[in-house]
Structure formats: C-alpha cells, structure tokens
Amino acid sequence: MGGALRVGVVGAGKISGQYGATISRLPELAVTAVADLDPQRAHGLAGQHPGARVMDLPELLAAEDVDVVLNLTTPAGHAAVALAAISAGKHVYGEKPLAAESTDGRAIADAAAAAGVRAACAPDTVLGTGVQTARAALESGAIGAALAATAFMTVPGHERWHPDPEFYYQRGGGPLLDMGPYYLTTLVHLLGPVRRVAGMSSRPRNERTIADGPRAGTSFPVDVDSHVTGLLEHEGGALTTMIMSFDIWATRLPFIEVYGSAGSLSVPDPNRFAGDVRLHPAAAESWTTLEPSAGYAGAGRGVGLLDLHDALAEDRSHRTGVDVALHVLDVMESMQASARSGSSVAVTTTCRRPERIDGVIELA
C-alpha cells in the first residue's frame, strides 16, 4: 500500500501510551481516530496525535481514513471489537490474547479470511533483536539440534503496580493468558508449533488487594488460577517445561533457555524487544553474549503495525499473523483443559512459523 497505514485506536487505557509513542515516531503509521468508553481518556490519547479525532466505535469503524483498527480493549472485549472491525472491511491488530476463548479466535480468523482483510495480534516483542537474534543463532546450528527448553514467568501479581488490575484475574486473564502469549509466541518462533501439552494449576488466594495508585487498599476477587505449570511437546520433538505465576515473590530462574545437542542458548525477557542473547557451546567453559544480528532495533509496542504496513506493501505474510495467535490461544486452553482433566491434551491447531527478520533493522 502507498502512504501511511491509518490507525483507529479502540481502547485508550494504560497500554495505549506505549503504542502511541511507537506510532508517533514511525512515518509509515498515523493515528487518525480514537474511541474509548471514557471520553477523557480518548481525548488524552487523541491529543498526542495531530489530526486524530475522538469518535464512538460505530463512527470509527465507518471512517474512511481508518485502514486498521488497533484493538486495545480488555481480553473479554477483543473478539467483539475485532469481528466488528472485520465486518466493516478494516484490517485489525489486537492486543494479546487474540480472544478470551479459542472459539472466538477461530471466528476472527475465519471472518478475516472471508472478508479478505488482515488480522494480526500481539505480541510483537518477538520482532525485536532479542528473540530474532536468538532465532538466528538457533538456525545457524550454534547449539546443534534443539532438544528441550524452559520458560518461566514468575511475579507476585500485577495488583502491585497496575491501578485497575481486576481484569487480570477475570475470565481471559491470569498469568497464562496474560503473559503466556509472550513466551509461547517466542517458543513458536524458536521451536515451531506445539502438538501436545500437560498442565497443572492452582489458585492459592481467592482475593487480591491493589497496592498502588488512587485505589490502593481496594480488594477484589480472583476468578482464575494464578499459578500454572506445564509441559509442551513441539511438532519437531523438542520438549518445553513452563511456569506462569502471579504467586512467586523472587526467583533466579531464567526467562527462556533452549538446550541443544551441541550447547545451550539463553533468551532474554520475551516481554521486551531487546536484551542479551547468551550462548554456551558444548566445548566452551563459559557463556558468551552475542551481538544483535536480526530484528528491529529500538522497537516498541506497535512495531507489529509497521510489519503489517510493509507486508501489505510487499504483498507478503505479516509476522504477527492470526494463525500464530490462535495456535497460542489453543495451547493455553489445552494446558487449562489438561489441568482440569489430569491427562495430556492434543493441541488441535497448528500454524506456520513466521518468517525470520534478516539482519538488524534500525528504527528512528
């Protein structure tokens, strides 16, 4: 496509500021419209983007100067907004997870295919130099054949920093659906899709208390399991051990490590775009830090929209495709189903492994 990709933002909450900051420095992208249930928040975000107008959702979906709807609503609202955008003939890029349930995720994928529009989904952190450099090292044979991996996200809970954390503990939330997409999407990029899972989960506390901000001291119920552990069998045969928890105060566990027939690879925080990638070949005596060799340098949330812009211009697949997001959602649901049943569960979806970024792309 020619010119900037014109973005209509639905949802002007906390995460919208990060997207807005990235979009503002990329000439390929422009925010033209903002919709939010809170008019004050909508005007605040629109005011950061010259020419952007505040609209209600139907107006935004009908606007001729909106090419893609950036869906930053809470997880429970992801599917409804995405389907409405697709019905209006707009491309859609959503925050993770794709939807609160995989049935809704499938509906989004099917609707986009039928309408001939693009559906994309966060996380786009996998496009940064951290994950992309790690993938380049793996594909170069730096650790031989990948045999296994570990993935750990362990924090005491988002109520310690978020002013309105309730949705993290409601349907569509929890550590698995909130943070799992970063780790699982990274694992798909590194090791490919997952074919079978086994999971266990627990809910040590039925109530949480907000620790900071104007609502500090407010308690609210927990409706989802807050500690999840599982095993993943990738289609290529590698096995991943995974923990996602809102119940751990401190740890020395790595973010992600991949273990191969000829060495080990340490991958930085998948919730960040950059970070040190460390390699320990089998014959070496210590770890070495790799120089960034692939991915967007200086990236922030929203760089997936840049990739979507370029994919449309080049008539290629975008790297944050709905097939990956649906597969990740299916993996997470399968882990939950396994935890309930006590048996391993076959994952019913698969996806293509997104194309790796060749070389480092410096962003302004």
Side-chain angles (χ1 to χ4, degrees):
M1 63 175 293
L5 186 66
R6 298 169 297 182
V7 181
V9 182
V10 180
K14 190 174 181 68
I15 196 68
S16 67
Q18 295 185 43
Y19 276 88
T22 300
I23 292 171
S24 293
R25 61 190 177 94
L26 297 176
E28 297 89 347
L29 307 173
V31 172
T32 55
V34 178
D36 191 275
L37 294 175
D38 183 334
Q40 184 176 356
R41 292 199 314 189
H43 281 283
L45 180 61
Q48 300 170 26
H49 301 275
R53 290 124 49 223
V54 173
M55 302 177 172
D56 61 24
L57 181 58
E59 290 173 328
L60 185 148
L61 296 179
E64 293 186 359
D65 62 347
V66 171
D67 303 312
V68 58
V69 172
L70 175 57
N71 183 6
L72 302 182
T73 57
T74 58
H78 286 180
V81 172
L83 290 170
I86 292 167
S87 180
K90 309 296 187 184
H91 305 300
V92 63
Y93 185 103
E95 247 303 316
K96 50 74 194 168
L98 178 62
E101 298 178 356
S102 61
T103 52
D104 291 332
R106 288 187 180 92
I108 294 170
D110 291 345
V117 299
R118 302 288 187 107
C121 187
D124 53 5
T125 48
V126 291
L127 305 182
T129 55
V131 173
Q132 291 293 312
T133 296
R135 180 170 174 180
L138 276 175
E139 293 180 354
S140 74
I143 63 169
L147 306 176
T150 53
F152 302 117
M153 193 294 301
T154 54
V155 298
H158 291 351
E159 72 276 11
R160 294 183 58 78
W161 59 269
H162 199 288
D164 299 294
E166 285 91 339
F167 72 92
Y168 287 114
Y169 297 90
Q170 298 168 354
R171 173 179 169 269
L176 184 59
L177 266 72
D178 175 48
M179 297 300 293
Y182 296 107
Y183 288 75
L184 289 166
T185 305
T186 295
L187 290 167
V188 167
H189 275 254
L190 298 177
L191 301 174
V194 176
R195 64 187 175 200
R196 187 164 60 105
V197 303
M200 291 188 180
S201 63
S202 65
R203 192 181 312 176
R205 288 179 280 167
N206 291 317
E207 187 177 85
R208 300 269 176 152
T209 302
I210 299 173
D212 195 21
R215 300 177 62 222
T218 302
S219 296
F220 58 91
V222 176
D223 298 325
V224 296
D225 285 353
S226 54
H227 184 96
V228 182
T229 184
L231 300 174
L232 318 176
E233 181 185 30
H234 295 268
E235 289 183 358
L239 301 178
T240 292
T241 301
M242 188 174 194
I243 295 176
M244 300 280 112
S245 182
F246 286 167
D247 292 295
I248 295 178
W249 288 96
T251 179
R252 292 183 178 179
L253 293 169
F255 293 107
I256 294 177
E257 289 184 348
V258 182
Y259 313 111
S261 60
S264 298
L265 189 70
S266 177
V267 184
D269 185 352
N271 192 23
R272 301 287 184 265
F273 288 86
D276 289 341
V277 178
R278 295 185 173 91
L279 173 67
H280 195 303
E285 295 184 358
S286 61
W287 295 86
T288 58
T289 300
L290 302 180
E291 290 294 323
S293 63
Y296 289 103
R301 279 169 170 76
V303 74
L305 286 163
L306 173 62
D307 183 72
L308 177 60
H309 169 278
D310 293 347
L312 289 166
E314 298 163 11
D315 193 25
R316 61 164 172 83
S317 297
H318 52 285
R319 294 182 175 92
T320 52
V322 69
D323 61 329
V324 174
L326 177 58
H327 178 63
V328 165
L329 181 56
D330 190 16
V331 170
M332 294 189 294
E333 280 192 346
S334 298
M335 290 178 68
Q336 292 173 324
S338 174
R340 291 191 298 269
S341 70
S343 302
S344 65
V345 171
V347 179
T348 60
T349 61
T350 189
C351 64
R352 64 174 183 84
R353 198 174 173 212
E355 179 183 349
R356 177 168 57 84
I357 296 174
D358 289 326
V360 175
I361 301 173
E362 297 281 351
L363 299 181

CSV table of all heavy atoms in Angstrom, one decimal, residues 42 44 51 69 110 123 142 174 231 236 242 251 262 282 286 297 311 318-319 326 347 349:
chain,number,residue,atom,x,y,z
A,42,ALA,N,-10.0,9.1,25.9
A,42,ALA,CA,-10.0,9.2,24.5
A,42,ALA,C,-9.4,10.5,24.0
A,42,ALA,O,-8.5,10.5,23.1
A,42,ALA,CB,-11.4,9.0,23.9
A,44,GLY,N,-7.4,12.4,25.7
A,44,GLY,CA,-6.0,12.5,26.1
A,44,GLY,C,-5.1,11.8,25.1
A,44,GLY,O,-4.0,12.3,24.7
A,51,GLY,N,-4.3,15.8,14.4
A,51,GLY,CA,-5.3,15.5,13.5
A,51,GLY,C,-6.2,14.3,13.9
A,51,GLY,O,-7.3,14.1,13.2
A,69,VAL,N,-7.8,-1.2,12.5
A,69,VAL,CA,-8.3,-1.0,13.9
A,69,VAL,C,-7.3,-1.6,14.9
A,69,VAL,O,-7.1,-2.8,14.8
A,69,VAL,CB,-9.7,-1.6,14.1
A,69,VAL,CG1,-10.1,-1.5,15.6
A,69,VAL,CG2,-10.7,-0.8,13.2
A,110,ASP,N,-11.5,-16.9,10.7
A,110,ASP,CA,-12.4,-17.2,9.6
A,110,ASP,C,-13.0,-15.9,9.0
A,110,ASP,O,-13.1,-15.8,7.7
A,110,ASP,CB,-13.5,-18.1,10.1
A,110,ASP,CG,-13.0,-19.5,10.4
A,110,ASP,OD1,-11.9,-19.8,10.1
A,110,ASP,OD2,-13.7,-20.3,11.1
A,123,PRO,N,1.8,-10.7,20.8
A,123,PRO,CA,2.9,-9.7,21.0
A,123,PRO,C,3.8,-9.5,19.7
A,123,PRO,O,4.0,-10.5,19.0
A,123,PRO,CB,3.7,-10.4,22.1
A,123,PRO,CG,3.5,-11.9,21.9
A,123,PRO,CD,2.1,-12.0,21.4
A,142,ALA,N,24.1,-23.1,16.0
A,142,ALA,CA,25.0,-22.8,17.1
A,142,ALA,C,25.0,-23.8,18.3
A,142,ALA,O,26.0,-23.9,19.0
A,142,ALA,CB,24.8,-21.4,17.6
A,174,GLY,N,-5.3,-14.0,34.1
A,174,GLY,CA,-4.5,-15.0,34.8
A,174,GLY,C,-3.1,-14.9,34.1
A,174,GLY,O,-2.9,-14.4,33.1
A,231,LEU,N,4.0,-28.9,30.5
A,231,LEU,CA,5.0,-29.5,29.6
A,231,LEU,C,4.4,-29.3,28.2
A,231,LEU,O,3.2,-29.6,28.0
A,231,LEU,CB,5.3,-30.9,29.9
A,231,LEU,CG,5.9,-31.3,31.3
A,231,LEU,CD1,5.9,-32.8,31.5
A,231,LEU,CD2,7.2,-30.6,31.4
A,236,GLY,N,8.4,-30.5,16.3
A,236,GLY,CA,9.7,-31.0,15.9
A,236,GLY,C,10.3,-32.0,16.9
A,236,GLY,O,11.4,-32.5,16.7
A,242,MET,N,7.4,-25.3,31.5
A,242,MET,CA,6.9,-23.9,31.6
A,242,MET,C,6.3,-23.7,32.9
A,242,MET,O,5.5,-24.5,33.4
A,242,MET,CB,5.9,-23.7,30.4
A,242,MET,CG,5.4,-22.3,30.3
A,242,MET,SD,4.3,-22.2,28.8
A,242,MET,CE,4.2,-20.4,28.6
A,251,THR,N,12.9,-15.0,42.4
A,251,THR,CA,13.5,-16.2,41.8
A,251,THR,C,14.8,-15.9,41.1
A,251,THR,O,15.1,-14.8,40.8
A,251,THR,CB,12.5,-16.8,40.7
A,251,THR,OG1,13.0,-17.9,40.1
A,251,THR,CG2,12.2,-15.7,39.7
A,262,ALA,N,24.5,-29.5,21.0
A,262,ALA,CA,25.8,-29.0,21.0
A,262,ALA,C,26.0,-27.8,21.8
A,262,ALA,O,26.9,-27.0,21.6
A,262,ALA,CB,26.3,-28.8,19.5
A,282,ALA,N,28.9,-26.5,23.6
A,282,ALA,CA,29.3,-27.6,24.4
A,282,ALA,C,30.7,-27.7,24.8
A,282,ALA,O,31.1,-28.1,25.9
A,282,ALA,CB,28.9,-28.9,23.7
A,286,SER,N,32.4,-21.2,29.3
A,286,SER,CA,31.5,-20.2,29.9
A,286,SER,C,30.6,-19.7,28.8
A,286,SER,O,30.7,-20.0,27.6
A,286,SER,CB,32.4,-19.0,30.4
A,286,SER,OG,33.1,-18.4,29.4
A,297,ALA,N,15.7,-3.0,15.8
A,297,ALA,CA,16.5,-2.3,16.9
A,297,ALA,C,15.8,-1.0,17.3
A,297,ALA,O,15.3,-0.3,16.4
A,297,ALA,CB,17.9,-2.0,16.5
A,311,ALA,N,4.2,-5.5,5.0
A,311,ALA,CA,3.6,-6.8,4.4
A,311,ALA,C,2.6,-6.5,3.4
A,311,ALA,O,2.5,-7.1,2.3
A,311,ALA,CB,3.0,-7.7,5.5
A,318,HIS,N,2.3,-11.1,7.0
A,318,HIS,CA,2.8,-10.4,8.2
A,318,HIS,C,3.3,-11.4,9.3
A,318,HIS,O,2.8,-12.5,9.3
A,318,HIS,CB,1.8,-9.4,8.7
A,318,HIS,CG,0.5,-9.9,9.0
A,318,HIS,ND1,-0.4,-10.3,8.0
A,318,HIS,CD2,-0.1,-10.2,10.2
A,318,HIS,CE1,-1.5,-10.7,8.6
A,318,HIS,NE2,-1.4,-10.7,9.9
A,319,ARG,N,4.2,-10.9,10.1
A,319,ARG,CA,4.8,-11.8,11.1
A,319,ARG,C,4.0,-12.0,12.4
A,319,ARG,O,4.4,-12.8,13.2
A,319,ARG,CB,6.2,-11.4,11.4
A,319,ARG,CG,7.2,-11.4,10.1
A,319,ARG,CD,8.6,-11.0,10.5
A,319,ARG,NE,9.5,-11.2,9.4
A,319,ARG,CZ,9.8,-10.2,8.5
A,319,ARG,NH1,9.2,-9.0,8.6
A,319,ARG,NH2,10.7,-10.5,7.6
A,326,LEU,N,-3.9,-17.7,17.2
A,326,LEU,CA,-4.9,-18.7,17.5
A,326,LEU,C,-4.3,-19.9,18.1
A,326,LEU,O,-4.8,-20.6,19.0
A,326,LEU,CB,-5.7,-19.0,16.2
A,326,LEU,CG,-6.8,-20.1,16.3
A,326,LEU,CD1,-7.8,-19.8,17.4
A,326,LEU,CD2,-7.5,-20.3,15.0
A,347,VAL,N,-3.1,-30.7,21.0
A,347,VAL,CA,-3.5,-29.4,20.5
A,347,VAL,C,-4.1,-29.5,19.1
A,347,VAL,O,-3.5,-30.1,18.2
A,347,VAL,CB,-2.2,-28.4,20.5
A,347,VAL,CG1,-2.6,-27.1,20.0
A,347,VAL,CG2,-1.6,-28.3,21.9
A,349,THR,N,-4.9,-27.1,16.8
A,349,THR,CA,-4.5,-26.2,15.8
A,349,THR,C,-3.0,-26.3,15.5
A,349,THR,O,-2.2,-26.9,16.3
A,349,THR,CB,-4.8,-24.8,16.2
A,349,THR,OG1,-4.1,-24.4,17.4
A,349,THR,CG2,-6.3,-24.6,16.4
